[in-house]
Amino acid sequence: MLQKRVIVCLDVRDGKTTKGVRFEGNVDIGDPVEMARACYEQGVDELVFYDITASAEGRGIMIEVVRRVAEQIFIPFCVGGGIATTDDMRAVLLAGAEKVSVNSQAVRNPRIIREGARRFGNQAIVLGMDALADRRMPSGYRVVINGGRVQTDLDALEWAREAERLGAGEIVVNSIDADGTRDGYELEVTRVIATGVGVPVVASGGAGVPGHLVEVFTRGAADAALVASMVHYGEYTVDDIKKVVADAGIPVRRQGARPEAGPV
Amino acid sequence: MKTLVVDYQAGNLRSVETALRHIGASHEITDDPVRLARAERIIFPGVGDAAHAMRLLAERGIDRVMRERHAAGIPILGICLGCQIVLEATEEGGAACLGLVPGTARRFPSECGKVPHMGWNTVRSREDHWLFRGVPAESSFYFVHSYYPAPESEEDAIAWCDYGIEFAAAVERGSLVATQFHPEKSGEAGLQLLRTFVEAG
């Protein structure tokens, strides 16, 4: 039986894992390659690296991070952030990533999804989507871009379907309402998208305890779930989370290289 | 003994290469049919469109070399698309394939679930099969595919996976083994399988 995936997300700036802290900007919390390795040993199913570097110099550092990760972990991983052209996609895929994720850039230029899918296959192209609850929209959710700062006219479900039609092989639904709250995923938007498209949907934003993943895999109908701060500070290991999910009767892979491995 | 990895521009070979380097396997990536014709061990990966892949293989004359190496009894490991185009045919674009294993690659019916079948799924291998030596029973492997291998003879299946229907997750015919999953992306279980293949024979 196909298992629900637990995916760890790492934000990377200038080659360091970083975390946005309210009123303080970003704080570096570690080496992404080391953190990726720890997650791998704990049995994470997949990893996502978001490059939040703005400079061209930082882009080069990110490619080097991707290359080092690929040499040490033997599971799929995705790279997002600042991907604007199919040449940007090619650079991270050649460095060893399986997938690239596009978000605001795809809203501005949807053709990048089609061109990327033609060139690298649908399985390599992930649409990241930030959704905000809005009762005026047909699905109840509006697509926002630039990290939630800019509203678009797009309905979340319609955009997800359009991205699938253009060739996206997977969709990450990040709830701006839930993001950073640690109160749980936004189950409704996850369910609306996950049951409305034919490609896998990854829930993102709001995970605080392992039970939140149980909810989003059942009531939210998600195929996979992103976690970040839950594991970044060693509060939970990936295996702690998976144990709770497995105990709830949800199929999940329980075989890390060293499932008992310590904190990320 | 060096393993030659067939590069016919169908997909990114970097993950196969890093995995082989990690397990310390001597290897070389090549698209040269002359080199491949002398290969003593071959890994045959691939992602993407089957008809396109078959065209690329034919253009380089690698299709003929693969048939010849298989007939010569050289160990070959097909991966993903390389597990489908070793069959006789595929429903993807109706392409004729290499014909090393009797059978067809079939598309998952939509009742099975979302297509592609993407993620980790449990693989049940034939008891005591050499390729799965050292791999814990019921291990999970990473899959990304819309078509699945349907060998004509159940004898040619060496592992099975359930995605709404039970399909062959790995096949074997003579010196050829092929996995529909990606051992190079399946964590320690996958690395163990690769190690077993490159050390076999």
Side-chain angles (χ1 to χ4, degrees), chain B residues 141-196:
Chain B
F141 289 87
Y142 188 75
F143 291 84
V144 188
H145 60 128
S146 300
Y147 297 78
Y148 63 91
E152 216 169 271
S153 163
E154 199 45 25
E155 292 291 297
D156 292 335
I158 57 171
W160 297 267
C161 179
D162 178 8
Y163 189 54
I165 51 171
E166 185 167 80
F167 67 93
V171 300
E172 176 178 45
R173 182 85 168 191
S175 61
L176 169 108
V177 285
T179 63
Q180 179 56 62
F181 52 82
H182 287 271
E184 77 282 12
K185 282 290 152 187
S186 294
E188 298 302 311
L191 292 175
Q192 176 57 42
L193 187 146
L194 285 174
R195 221 175 267 127
T196 301

Side-chain angles (χ1 to χ4, degrees), chain B:
Chain B
M1 197 197 314
K2 187 181 266 186
T3 300
L4 296 195
V5 181
V6 186
D7 178 12
Y8 51 104
Q9 307 297 317
N12 187 351
L13 300 183
R14 186 166 168 89
S15 53
V16 173
E17 191 188 9
T18 50
L20 290 174
R21 198 183 308 134
H22 183 78
I23 63 172
S26 161
H27 65 282
E28 180 187 327
I29 293 182
T30 183
D31 65 347
D32 178 1
V34 179
R35 301 260 320 110
L36 288 167
R38 291 196 298 264
E40 294 180 76
R41 191 187 304 281
I42 294 175
I43 292 183
F44 184 56
V47 292
D49 177 73
H52 182 61
M54 283 307 297
R55 260 196 312 279
L56 293 171
L57 289 171
E59 273 169 22
R60 288 172 166 74
I62 298 174
D63 53 348
R64 190 181 45 78
V65 173
M66 290 295 294
R67 291 190 189 102
E68 185 279 319
R69 290 284 81 187
H70 184 231
I74 296 306
I76 300 172
L77 171 64
I79 297 174
C80 193
L81 185 64
C83 181
Q84 297 175 12
I85 58 181
V86 296
L87 300 166
E88 293 166 306
T90 172
E91 291 181 355
E92 185 176 20
C97 298
L98 293 172
L100 308 183
V101 183
T104 305
R106 302 199 183 284
R107 189 172 170 88
F108 281 114
S110 55
E111 311 86 87
C112 287
K114 293 183 174 181
V115 179
H117 170 227
M118 176 158 80
W120 297 81
N121 203 329
T122 317
V123 168
R124 185 169 54 80
S125 61
R126 176 171 292 173
E127 208 173 327
D128 295 330
H129 193 278
W130 65 271
L131 187 62
F132 290 86
R133 201 175 295 147
V135 174
E138 307 277 315
S139 284
S140 295
F141 289 87
Y142 188 75
F143 291 84
V144 188
H145 60 128
S146 300
Y147 297 78
Y148 63 91
E152 216 169 271
S153 163
E154 199 45 25
E155 292 291 297
D156 292 335
I158 57 171
W160 297 267
C161 179
D162 178 8
Y163 189 54
I165 51 171
E166 185 167 80
F167 67 93
V171 300
E172 176 178 45
R173 182 85 168 191
S175 61
L176 169 108
V177 285
T179 63
Q180 179 56 62
F181 52 82
H182 287 271
E184 77 282 12
K185 282 290 152 187
S186 294
E188 298 302 311
L191 292 175
Q192 176 57 42
L193 187 146
L194 285 174
R195 221 175 267 127
T196 301
F197 175 74
V198 298
E199 286 167 5

Side-chain angles (χ1 to χ4, degrees), chain A residues 6-7 19 178-187 203-216 225-237 240-241 244-245:
Chain A
V6 177
I7 304 175
K19 187 77 198 164
D179 199 15
T181 64
R182 309 199 67 185
D183 289 339
Y185 297 94
E186 226 276 36
L187 301 179
S204 166
V209 296
H212 291 152
L213 284 89
V214 174
E215 288 174 359
V216 85
L226 279 194
V227 297
S229 55
M230 275 176 79
V231 298
H232 287 167
Y233 304 108
E235 194 178 346
Y236 297 98
T237 67
D240 292 337
I241 297 170
V244 173
V245 174

Side-chain angles (χ1 to χ4, degrees), chain A residues 18-262:
Chain A
T18 187
K19 187 77 198 164
V21 176
R22 206 171 291 188
F23 309 123
E24 290 178 43
N26 278 72
V27 177
D28 290 344
I29 56 172
D31 172 20
V33 181
E34 285 307 309
M35 292 175 81
R37 201 181 156 70
C39 291
Y40 174 67
E41 289 178 348
Q42 294 169 12
V44 75
D45 296 314
E46 211 167 308
L47 287 157
V48 180
F49 299 88
Y50 283 119
D51 180 9
I52 62 165
T53 312
S55 68
E57 194 186 6
R59 299 289 305 168
I61 297 170
M62 186 65 193
I63 295 297
E64 193 46 39
V65 168
V66 173
R67 194 168 287 128
R68 284 169 56 217
V69 168
E71 280 166 6
Q72 299 187 30
I73 70 158
F74 301 95
I75 54 168
F77 66 94
C78 177
V79 175
I83 306 272
T85 66
T86 55
D87 284 341
D88 293 341
M89 292 178 172
R90 183 167 186 273
V92 294
L93 294 173
L94 280 183
E98 264 59 53
K99 309 179 188 183
V100 290
S101 145
V102 285
N103 188 320
S104 305
Q105 296 289 356
V107 170
R108 289 191 206 99
N109 172 25
R111 274 181 323 183
I112 192 174
I113 298 174
R114 171 172 286 155
E115 288 165 8
R118 282 214 182 119
R119 194 162 164 193
F120 310 111
N122 297 20
Q123 84 292 336
I125 310 299
V126 178
L127 174 77
M129 178 172 75
D130 290 327
L132 190 67
D134 188 333
R135 270 183 290 175
R136 290 167 296 179
M137 305 308 281
S139 71
Y141 297 91
R142 181 190 293 276
V143 176
V144 292
I145 58 173
N146 293 12
R149 291 187 296 276
V150 178
Q151 297 207 341
T152 73
D153 294 331
L154 296 170
D155 175 74
L157 180 58
E158 282 169 21
W159 174 228
R161 286 181 169 155
E162 173 67 3
E164 179 186 7
R165 198 183 61 75
L166 289 168
E170 184 165 70
I171 298 173
V172 177
V173 180
N174 183 53
S175 164
I176 291 292
D177 303 286
D179 199 15
T181 64
R182 309 199 67 185
D183 289 339
Y185 297 94
E186 226 276 36
L187 301 179
E188 182 59 17
V189 72
T190 311
R191 195 189 56 76
V192 164
I193 308 293
T195 57
V197 298
V199 294
V201 166
V202 183
S204 166
V209 296
H212 291 152
L213 284 89
V214 174
E215 288 174 359
V216 85
F217 287 146
T218 52
R219 286 157 58 202
D223 299 286
L226 279 194
V227 297
S229 55
M230 275 176 79
V231 298
H232 287 167
Y233 304 108
E235 194 178 346
Y236 297 98
T237 67
V238 173
D239 197 57
D240 292 337
I241 297 170
K242 286 188 164 189
K243 184 175 187 310
V244 173
V245 174
D247 286 348
I250 297 166
V252 65
R253 184 180 74 111
R254 292 289 302 285
Q255 25 172 184
R258 288 160 55 218
E260 75 289 358

